[in-house]
Amino acid sequence: MTTPTTPSTTLAAAPTTAAAPSAPVAVSLVGSTGSIGTQAVEVVRRDPQRFQVVALAAWRSVDLLVQQAHELHPQLVAIGDPALASEVAERLPAGVELAVGADGLVAAARCGEVVVNGVVGFAGLPVTLAALAAGRRLALANKESLIAGAPVVQQVRRTPGAEIVPVDSEHCALHQCLRSGEGPDEVGRLVLTASGGPFRGRRAAELADVGVDEALAHPTWAMGPKITVDSSTLMNKGLEVIEAHELFEIDYDRIEVVIHPQSIVHSMVEFVDGATVAQLSNPDMRLPIGYALAYPRRLEHPFGTLDWTQLRRLDFELPDRGAFRCLALAESAGRQGGLAPAWLNGANEVAVAAFLDGRIGWSTIADVVEDTLGACEQHPVHEVGDVVDADGRARRHAEAVVRRRERAA
Ligand code: MG
């Protein structure tokens, strides 16, 4: 009888996944009352031995923030709007520290081992920077901070201990596909999937009169209003192309977008040998949130699994960049690099807010973004103020375009 020996071709074990953690992971939830934040609370609630919330932060949703504080017993609570500070202070459990204003959110972003950035839009940039500068693992749902702030975020990302684990479902999928450690030189292309949103298949002429309610009726994902409108214009996918470039250091020629209406394949990596690895699951944000919280381990209790008896087909088609111009505009801004993504993002935030307020039509969103991107001024970026300045210039330009288009209507 021979003793079995370990063959020399055995794959190395994935790093640091062996032992279950003994102490709970300290979690800071910034943007705890929004769509991402409330779903993160559901993940934590399911696994109280594993996760301990140490900080909660919200901009102005006092009732829910206070309720979360009573349930989760954090050490720190932050409220962004200073006018609401006294009300929050009166209602917090005894012994909880209160932090106020934008600085309060930054204080929360320095807490814990994992920081969830679920703030909406460019306002999330200080949170991203603070968490990375403090050497935290950043569970990044706020893609705008990485996209617009890339020149400064990439610098602070090199802080020892700092790490970004994407919560955005497509990038979380790519992160999972790349876990075995292949480098950028082994990646043939990243394939980002897009549901296509509520207007998939419509031509430009059929999109002129679509309303806010239609844009907010996403077929597969339940999300906040800003990202849902971005999904309807495909700006969300365009922003995600830039996000993928920044996260995984893959050049734009190797990032593709395909429409996949079932939202089951969350993205794919094609390697240089032609092999494609995909991540599949139900469209449920609690999976990527839990992935980022538990990384490098896996959540033990899934929020649903695929039912292969019900799943009949997976469709893929090319996006229509003529009808959905925001996708092409974002790709163009990404290729320009520098401050162009900040201009693109600032213009888009102004245009989406104007659309949600009923000031402009859906198809005018792309007009506002295109006009603003055409006015983009490139400067060297030395510090965060340079990015904030570019965002401000873009917003002022976009707002002027919105006002012109309002008058013309
Ligand atoms: Mg996404």
Side-chain angles (χ1 to χ4, degrees):
M1 199 173 93
T2 55
T3 308
T5 54
T6 307
S8 61
T9 50
T10 301
L11 287 173
T16 60
T17 55
S22 49
V25 178
V27 177
S28 172
L29 301 179
V30 184
S32 67
T33 58
S35 173
I36 292 292
T38 52
Q39 293 181 85
V41 169
E42 289 179 44
V43 173
V44 168
R45 195 182 277 144
R46 279 267 294 265
D47 229 334
Q49 270 84 47
R50 190 149 181 195
F51 303 115
Q52 166 68 46
V53 172
V54 294
L56 290 167
W59 196 256
R60 60 170 62 94
S61 299
V62 172
D63 289 345
L64 184 51
L65 180 64
V66 168
Q67 184 188 319
Q68 289 175 337
H70 281 272
E71 179 189 345
L72 299 165
H73 311 292
Q75 294 153 16
L76 178 86
V77 165
I79 182 78
D81 186 346
L84 301 168
S86 56
E87 186 189 348
V88 176
E90 280 169 26
R91 295 171 59 188
L92 279 184
V96 177
E97 186 186 342
L98 176 65
V100 178
D103 291 346
L105 267 63
V106 164
R110 296 197 183 107
C111 294
E113 297 159 72
V114 186
V115 178
V116 177
N117 186 354
V119 175
V120 176
F122 185 75
L125 179 59
V127 173
T128 287
L129 292 173
L132 293 174
R136 307 303 181 212
R137 186 198 314 152
L138 175 63
L140 184 65
N142 175 268
K143 68 190 84 179
E144 293 90 341
S145 59
L146 175 60
I147 292 159
V152 282
V153 173
Q154 294 291 24
Q155 287 173 31
V156 75
R157 192 181 173 188
R158 293 194 282 267
T159 306
E163 177 179 27
I164 299 177
V165 179
V167 167
D168 206 351
S169 61
E170 296 79 1
H171 306 76
C172 182
L174 295 172
H175 194 270
Q176 294 176 64
C177 295
L178 289 165
R179 272 186 81 155
S180 47
E182 290 92 345
D185 59 328
E186 291 173 286
V187 172
R189 54 184 171 156
L190 306 180
V191 182
L192 288 169
T193 55
S195 70
F199 305 137
R200 179 177 65 88
R202 293 204 204 178
R203 290 194 293 270
E206 301 168 301
L207 288 164
D209 303 323
V210 296
V212 172
D213 290 351
E214 293 172 272
L216 290 179
H218 197 280
T220 52
W221 289 100
M223 303 177 291
K226 194 266 179 181
I227 188 173
T228 305
V229 173
D230 283 347
S231 294
S232 79
T233 61
L234 293 195
M235 176 58 89
N236 183 53
K237 206 53 51 181
L239 294 173
E240 289 181 353
V241 168
I242 303 174
E243 183 184 10
H245 168 79
E246 296 296 344
L247 280 171
F248 302 108
E249 297 169 7
I250 302 294
D251 55 79
Y252 285 100
D253 289 339
R254 293 187 291 151
I255 304 175
E256 293 188 11
V257 172
V258 294
I259 303 294
H260 167 50
Q262 290 90 0
S263 297
I264 295 293
V265 177
H266 296 297
S267 278
M268 304 176 258
V269 177
E270 182 187 284
F271 293 99
V272 287
D273 63 358
T276 295
V277 176
Q279 187 261 321
L280 286 71
S281 55
N282 290 325
D284 186 328
M285 284 308 295
R286 292 173 299 184
L287 189 152
I289 292 166
Y291 176 86
L293 290 184
Y295 184 79
R297 292 182 55 79
R298 290 274 179 180
L299 279 189
E300 283 158 34
H301 311 291
F303 289 92
T305 55
L306 286 177
D307 181 352
W308 296 100
T309 66
Q310 297 299 311
L311 189 61
R312 288 283 177 267
R313 53 189 286 179
L314 299 171
D315 297 301
F316 300 93
E317 59 197 56
L318 289 176
D320 179 353
R321 288 178 173 76
F324 299 91
R325 288 178 292 142
C326 285
L327 174 57
L329 289 167
E331 289 168 330
S332 165
R335 285 173 186 273
Q336 288 173 54
L339 290 169
W343 279 71
L344 171 95
N345 181 68
N348 183 58
E349 289 191 23
V350 167
V352 169
F355 169 68
L356 286 169
D357 288 344
R359 297 172 64 199
I360 60 172
W362 182 89
S363 54
T364 306
I365 294 172
D367 297 338
V368 173
V369 172
E370 184 172 23
D371 194 304
T372 307
L373 193 58
C376 168
E377 303 158 22
Q378 291 283 11
H379 303 285
V381 177
H382 300 295
E383 53 171 7
V384 62
D386 299 322
V387 175
V388 173
D389 181 64
D391 172 75
R393 287 169 189 268
R395 283 170 195 269
R396 286 191 291 279
H397 186 100
E399 183 56 38
V401 180
V402 166
R403 279 199 297 272
R404 270 206 311 276
R405 295 297 295 261
E406 271 183 314
R407 279 202 299 272

